Amino acid sequence: VRVLSCELLVSLVSVGTLVSATGEAATYYLRPPPDCSRNGDGTAYACAASTGVSGAWNDWGSATAGIGAGDILRIDGTWIFSDINVVVVNGSAAARVRLTAYDPASPPLLRADIGTGPMYLLGDYVEIDHLRFANAIGNCLAIGREPDRIHRDLLFHDNRFERCENGVSFDYV
């Protein structure tokens, strides 16, 4: 799949947020280090007073390790990547993981000026919603390389791809 337009708005049919079998989905928050200098536990939008306490995560690794099936990760701010940002998240058929903007009216920007792009997604049952992607020299969103399995149920809703050679690139499908 090759997306050719730079100002393309991708909108696929979106299903309402699903909840896990045990109850309501948890909502977590991710903000860039310039906005929040301490890495919180992801449970609040406000910045953490110290590392690991109530407050937004400021690191993608912490966020993706801390979310699971049925959870919502609300992302804010501008993220500039100088290396591959591998996002490994897995929902389930009954409860997908949702990566979305903290404020859909002002979607966060995920930008990279490297060939691989600002997000290299590995996972199943994931919804990516109201995010902006930019990469002047490569892909904006790559769906990961896992030759022994098929990616299942990836939903993209109201995302914007700006300055991309390829908006979405599939390594293996």
Side-chain angles (χ1 to χ4, degrees):
V1 174
R2 184 176 175 132
V3 180
L4 300 175
S5 174
C6 288
E7 285 291 328
L8 178 69
L9 198 63
V10 172
S11 179
L12 300 178
V13 175
S14 175
V15 177
T17 302
L18 299 175
V19 295
S20 68
T22 59
E24 291 191 33
T27 298
Y28 295 100
Y29 301 88
L30 176 64
R31 297 175 66 187
D35 294 350
C36 289
S37 61
R38 293 180 185 86
N39 194 25
D41 64 2
T43 60
Y45 176 77
C47 297
S50 61
T51 301
V53 301
S54 179
W57 281 309
N58 71 356
D59 172 80
W60 277 88
S62 297
T64 58
I67 61 175
D71 290 341
I72 299 167
L73 180 61
R74 295 200 171 275
I75 304 162
D76 199 14
T78 297
W79 294 84
I80 300 173
F81 300 99
S82 59
D83 202 355
I84 298 171
N85 179 37
V86 178
V87 176
V88 181
V89 291
N90 285 291
S92 70
R96 74 178 36 87
V97 173
R98 185 171 176 220
L99 308 178
T100 188
Y102 172 73
D103 177 6
S106 179
L109 175 64
L110 284 68
R111 190 185 94 205
D113 293 324
I114 54 177
T116 54
M119 186 180 287
Y120 191 85
L121 179 66
L122 299 173
D124 294 312
Y125 304 103
V126 179
E127 179 179 353
I128 297 178
D129 172 43
H130 287 94
L131 301 181
R132 290 180 356 189
F133 298 90
N135 187 358
I137 63 169
N139 300 322
C140 276
L141 172 63
I143 307 301
R145 179 179 289 247
E146 295 183 90
D148 297 334
R149 63 193 248 351
I150 297 171
H151 292 284
R152 294 177 299 256
D153 200 16
L154 302 176
L155 296 177
F156 302 90
H157 180 257
D158 287 333
N159 294 290
R160 231 170 47 197
F161 295 92
E162 305 167 354
R163 297 183 312 123
C164 306
E165 285 185 12
N166 293 307
V168 180
S169 173
F170 292 87
D171 281 350
Y172 288 103
V173 290

